[in-house]
Amino acid sequence: MLRFQFRTLSIPLLVFAAFTLSLMPDSIDIELAGVHFQLFADCGLFWPAQSMLFIADTHFGKEATFRRSGIPVPVGATDATIAKISRMLHRTNAARLCILGDMFHARSSIDAIVFDSLQLFFAKFLSLEISLIRGNHDARVGPLPDEWPIEVFDAGKMIDRVALGHHPAVLPAGADIYLCGHIHPAVKGLSRKEAQGRIPCFWHSRGQLVLPAIGAFTGTHVITLSAGDIAWITAENQILRYF
């Protein structure tokens, strides 16, 4: 486990640690079952061979649902999430985007502000092929507007030998890798300064790769790593393997 005990470091070591952290990348290349992927600190996974960007748990409009229930929360979470997705699309020049479930938090999340923000996003990426793997929140939201360029699939869709879903599950028959989301994985932070002492992460376990929630207004669930598991943490526009 990576830990920095700043209180015991001398001034030169503090400078070295800060310099080292500043050099950490915002993306990292990995290979799973012979397939090359690129992980981003913005919580997306890019599959170059398919020109496809994967994200999970956008929970667009969650803030709108909270406000409708009388809970005062700030606006802007949906636009912040869209900005992260846009950055990765520009960076990778991806032709396809796949949301691994829970695009919206609830039906009430699709208010006028959220609707307009997504309309602008679709207009900006006219040639982008967008698909959604139906998650538990999506089932409650119901059909999306007909004019939106999104194809919806149930869990279990396969691309080559990569299976797509929302809930973590046993590796499906015929698949070498299973991509999913749902649990918003995180590890305990290096200090209590991180939100609730947690850092979002990608989590690979037994052929299953769980993506962190990309939504700007979502919680996290601390995972327990078993032997053979790998996690990559994302914080402050940086990503690194967690030991």
Side-chain angles (χ1 to χ4, degrees):
M1 182 179 297
L2 225 103
R3 293 185 183 275
F4 290 108
Q5 298 294 334
F6 287 114
R7 288 178 297 178
T8 63
L9 292 178
S10 65
I11 295 300
L13 284 176
L14 277 171
V15 173
F16 175 76
F19 177 72
T20 302
L21 287 170
S22 70
L23 294 179
M24 290 178 185
D26 62 358
S27 67
I28 191 168
D29 292 305
I30 66 169
E31 185 173 304
L32 300 174
V35 181
H36 171 236
F37 296 114
Q38 188 175 14
L39 307 181
F40 285 90
D42 275 333
C43 298
L45 176 150
F46 181 55
W47 186 359
Q50 295 290 331
S51 190
M52 196 167 195
L53 178 68
F54 294 89
I55 56 176
D57 299 284
T58 51
H59 286 272
F60 289 133
K62 183 177 180 180
E63 69 275 25
T65 296
F66 274 50
R67 290 195 300 272
R68 183 167 296 194
S69 300
I71 303 172
V73 296
V75 299
T78 291
D79 286 338
T81 301
I82 290 175
K84 290 199 291 185
I85 299 168
S86 298
R87 281 198 299 269
M88 290 186 288
L89 288 173
H90 285 304
R91 177 93 171 264
T92 62
N93 198 29
R96 297 190 284 173
L97 171 69
C98 180
I99 303 170
L100 297 172
D102 288 359
M103 181 176 181
F104 291 96
H105 189 69
R107 189 70 191 176
S108 59
S109 299
I110 313 177
D111 67 358
I113 296 174
V114 172
F115 185 92
D116 289 345
S117 292
L118 285 169
Q119 287 286 80
L120 288 173
F121 173 78
F122 298 141
K124 187 176 180 180
F125 296 96
L126 285 173
S127 62
L128 184 67
E129 297 180 20
I130 306 174
S131 57
L132 167 66
I133 304 299
R134 190 179 283 110
N136 52 298
H137 282 268
D138 302 306
R140 296 198 293 268
V141 169
L144 299 177
D146 291 334
E147 63 266 36
W148 284 359
I150 301 175
E151 192 170 6
V152 181
F153 298 92
D154 288 325
K157 177 178 172 58
M158 295 273 291
I159 302 177
D160 291 341
R161 295 181 66 82
V162 176
L164 310 179
H166 176 62
H167 294 83
V170 175
L171 189 66
D176 294 326
I177 306 168
Y178 176 61
L179 303 180
C180 62
H182 181 62
I183 64 172
H184 308 188
V187 295
K188 290 185 178 180
L190 305 179
S191 75
R192 296 299 300 179
K193 291 183 179 180
E194 289 86 9
Q196 300 177 8
R198 302 174 176 186
I199 306 177
C201 69
F202 293 86
W203 176 32
H204 180 258
S205 179
R206 300 179 181 179
Q208 171 184 263
L209 182 60
V210 186
L211 275 64
I214 193 174
F217 188 43
T218 57
T220 57
H221 170 71
V222 173
I223 60 170
T224 299
L225 298 180
S226 300
D229 288 4
I230 306 173
W232 296 268
I233 61 174
T234 66
E236 298 182 357
N237 298 319
Q238 298 170 337
I239 183 168
L240 71 155
R241 183 167 172 169
Y242 182 81
F243 296 92

